[in-house]
Amino acid sequence: MKPEQQIENAMHDQYPHRLMSSNTVIGYLNLVTLLASIPIIGAGLWVAHGGSAAAATCESALQAPLLAIGFIVLLVSLAGFIGARYHVTWALWLYLLAMLLLVVALLGVTVFGLAVTAAGGGRPVPGRPYQEFRVTDYSAWLQKRVQAERYWRPALACVVGSRACPRIAAWTPLDYLQHSLTPIQSGCCKPPTSCAYGPGGVPVQPQDEDCYRWNNAPGILCYQCDSCKAGVLEQLRRDWHSITLLNAVLLVLLIAIYSCGCCAFRNARRADTTAPYGMSKINPRWDYFWSRWWNGQREQLY
């Protein structure tokens, strides 16, 4: 029997199948996530080179997060797959550290997002199926963001690029009594319902400041109204609460993978320090398995 075969048999005798199951599970899980990172990176590159149309909408804001998530998942999954499949201790150590940082970061972002979007919500309008929104109902952190010009300008570009207002430009007063509106349409595409206008579209009495900001021109409308900013915040709040469920599922999945990774790391450490019958051993180099596979392929060819 060849010496290589004797070494392999000794290693198999040392580790029963029940100890190696965690390595197999973590290897397959990371192979799946590694393959899944490829379309994420591709989507980020597509958004980055999507032309001027992407720059005029909110899609351009997804470019950096998509690329960052894609490359982080790719590198972490690659380290976890190599470490679990070939018992590379240092790769598993880096993998576990990166996974821990991912779990902590995702948990922190989720908690922070829930804290700043807890306040808010719409106010019913008597006799209308839609709601209206006020900036003062939201958290102070979000209020500061929409009041700052450097944050509001790209958000407004997203609102205009989404073409939410042209969709209801042809509505009649009866339509507003029968159909609901999105938060952006309610805040940006019409004046507050409480506004009263006389001949020539001039407010007839002192009222909400947004009533004076409203203009029927398609390029102006109520884009500079506080109600428009409130509509954007409400849409953000709803979107974030929808993402929270996905974040919770992802956290559970990452914690499960992290637990399997800890078991795989323990097995790899044991492979480095123990041998059959309790004797110490010299562990093969990290490229031992690769070289054996390559030599086997050469023997089959020649």
Side-chain angles (χ1 to χ4, degrees):
M1 183 179 297
K2 296 181 179 181
E4 293 85 352
Q5 187 65 34
Q6 294 177 356
I7 294 175
E8 185 175 358
N9 291 341
M11 293 179 66
H12 285 179
D13 292 339
Q14 179 189 1
Y15 301 111
H17 177 72
R18 63 185 180 86
L19 288 178
M20 301 301 293
S21 60
S22 60
N23 297 58
T24 303
V25 171
I26 198 67
Y28 280 117
L29 285 175
N30 282 281
L31 180 60
V32 171
T33 55
L34 188 149
L35 295 176
S37 67
I38 297 176
I40 296 176
I41 296 174
L45 294 175
W46 179 83
V47 171
H49 300 282
S52 59
T57 65
C58 297
E59 292 179 0
S60 59
L62 298 176
Q63 172 189 344
L66 283 174
L67 290 176
I69 292 174
F71 280 111
I72 290 174
V73 172
L74 176 66
L75 296 177
V76 172
S77 300
L78 184 61
F81 177 76
I82 294 176
R85 179 64 180 84
Y86 299 104
H87 309 285
V88 183
T89 306
W90 64 266
L92 275 176
W93 188 88
L94 291 178
Y95 166 76
L96 292 177
L97 178 61
M99 283 290 293
L100 180 61
L101 294 177
L102 279 176
V103 170
V104 173
L106 183 59
L107 181 61
V109 169
T110 302
V111 172
F112 175 76
L114 288 176
V116 299
T117 59
R123 300 186 180 187
V125 181
R128 307 295 175 95
Y130 55 82
Q131 295 178 322
E132 292 185 340
F133 311 92
R134 295 180 181 272
V135 173
T136 54
D137 292 340
Y138 297 88
S139 66
W141 189 85
L142 288 177
Q143 291 183 44
K144 292 179 180 178
R145 289 302 182 274
V146 294
Q147 297 298 343
E149 187 66 21
R150 65 191 183 101
Y151 292 113
W152 174 242
R153 188 177 302 155
L156 182 58
C158 290
V159 172
V160 176
S162 67
R163 300 188 61 81
C165 294
R167 295 191 183 99
I168 62 173
W171 277 21
T172 64
L174 183 61
D175 291 322
Y176 285 93
L177 295 174
Q178 297 177 341
H179 303 288
S180 183
L181 297 172
T182 66
I184 290 179
Q185 289 175 335
S186 175
C188 305
C189 306
K190 66 171 189 59
T193 306
S194 61
C195 295
Y197 295 96
V202 179
V204 296
Q205 58 186 8
Q207 46 193 324
D208 194 315
E209 292 184 1
D210 285 345
C211 299
Y212 299 93
R213 297 188 181 109
W214 162 260
N215 191 301
N216 202 37
I220 302 178
L221 299 180
C222 215
Y223 289 141
Q224 297 301 326
C225 297
D226 287 341
S227 62
C228 186
K229 297 176 180 179
V232 171
L233 293 182
E234 176 62 22
Q235 190 64 53
L236 174 64
R237 189 183 75 90
R238 294 183 182 183
D239 291 343
W240 184 259
H241 285 181
S242 300
I243 293 174
T244 299
L245 179 60
L246 178 61
N247 285 348
V249 175
L250 185 58
L251 272 173
V252 173
L253 178 62
L254 288 177
I255 293 174
I257 296 177
Y258 183 79
S259 301
C260 293
C262 290
C263 295
F265 179 74
R266 181 188 59 187
N267 291 344
R269 287 290 301 274
R270 187 174 299 172
D272 288 341
T273 57
T274 60
Y277 311 108
M279 299 173 58
S280 62
K281 72 182 184 72
I282 299 176
N283 192 54
R285 291 190 346 175
W286 67 272
D287 58 346
Y288 168 74
F289 299 97
W290 292 95
S291 61
R292 290 202 65 241
W293 175 84
W294 175 250
N295 291 332
Q297 296 298 318
R298 292 180 60 186
E299 291 178 0
Q300 292 179 4
L301 290 175
Y302 301 105

